[in-house]
Amino acid sequence: MKRIKISLEYSISLVVIFWIIRIFESVSGFDLYFLGIYPRTTTGLPGIITAPFIHANFDHLIANTLPFLSLSFLLFLFYKKKAGSVFVLLWITAGFFTWLIGRPAWHIGASIMIYALAFFLFFGGIMSKKFLLILLSIGIIILYGGLIWGILPVAGQISWEGHLSGAASGLVWAYKFRKEIRRVRN
């Protein structure tokens, strides 16, 4: 029960920050888009850290809230002590990849992390060769398998580059930590 509580607290805390920022933008009329990632510029470099906190509007935030909440919760629940470092590595790497490959535009939103988390959980579970984590991988593909279409350049306003970067980050870190994940008891 304690692990569930702690995992929920981490995930909910981040989502609350997303909502506070969006409400602040809405009430103040101040747009924080400049905290996003603007690829291959020094101006857009801090966005590697801040972009997932910024959302274009409430619809964008609502669309990201439940997937981010559930996927980050699952990471913290199933990967215990490794979860914090994996989460930070996913966040930074996904942002950096977006900064490297993105088109010249502001890239914002937690979907960068949603893709990183989903791909890490899926591939991490498969590579772990552990029954429980493989079941988690199957659940991820059932619930979030449709994410695969988001890494294709189909909608002009959506950062498919951020999605692709998140997916690549998840895959890279799942591969990197595969042996450690196999050794850790769940």
Side-chain angles (χ1 to χ4, degrees):
M1 276 314 264
K2 186 177 179 180
R3 262 178 54 195
I4 292 172
K5 182 179 182 271
I6 290 169
S7 300
L8 269 175
E9 287 172 355
Y10 288 146
S11 301
I12 289 171
S13 296
L14 286 165
V15 169
V16 166
I17 294 169
F18 296 165
W19 277 88
I20 288 170
I21 290 170
R22 183 64 236 153
I23 290 167
F24 166 79
E25 284 185 291
S26 182
V27 169
S28 70
F30 192 66
D31 193 349
L32 297 174
Y33 72 89
F34 63 89
L35 295 175
I37 298 166
Y38 201 92
R40 295 169 308 283
T41 66
T42 54
T43 306
L45 205 51
I48 290 171
I49 304 300
T50 56
F53 290 107
I54 310 303
H55 292 82
N57 52 45
F58 282 105
D59 290 340
H60 184 206
L61 177 56
I62 290 166
N64 283 340
T65 295
L66 187 57
F68 180 86
L69 184 65
S70 60
L71 292 167
S72 60
F73 168 74
L74 291 170
L75 176 74
F76 287 108
L77 182 64
F78 285 98
Y79 287 86
K80 298 184 219 172
K81 293 177 183 171
K82 240 335 132 216
S85 55
V86 167
F87 187 85
V88 169
L89 289 168
L90 290 171
W91 190 291
I92 292 169
T93 308
F96 182 69
F97 288 169
T98 303
W99 185 82
L100 280 177
I101 70 165
R103 66 185 177 272
W106 290 101
H107 298 260
I108 57 172
S111 59
I112 293 169
M113 277 302 291
I114 290 168
Y115 277 80
L117 290 163
F119 275 69
F120 178 85
L121 290 169
F122 175 73
F123 286 107
I126 298 298
M127 289 183 218
S128 76
K129 300 181 182 176
K130 291 185 168 201
F131 181 72
L132 186 59
L133 294 179
I134 291 170
L135 282 179
L136 177 61
S137 294
I138 292 167
I140 295 295
I141 203 71
I142 289 169
L143 293 173
Y144 295 105
L147 287 177
I148 197 73
W149 300 110
I151 63 175
L152 302 173
V154 292
Q157 294 296 322
I158 295 173
S159 176
W160 64 271
E161 302 97 328
H163 297 172
L164 178 62
S165 295
S169 176
L171 178 58
V172 163
W173 291 113
Y175 182 77
K176 171 72 173 130
F177 286 112
R178 73 192 182 287
K179 291 177 184 170
E180 289 179 59
I181 294 167
R182 287 180 195 152
R183 288 191 301 261
V184 176
R185 271 190 58 200
N186 282 327

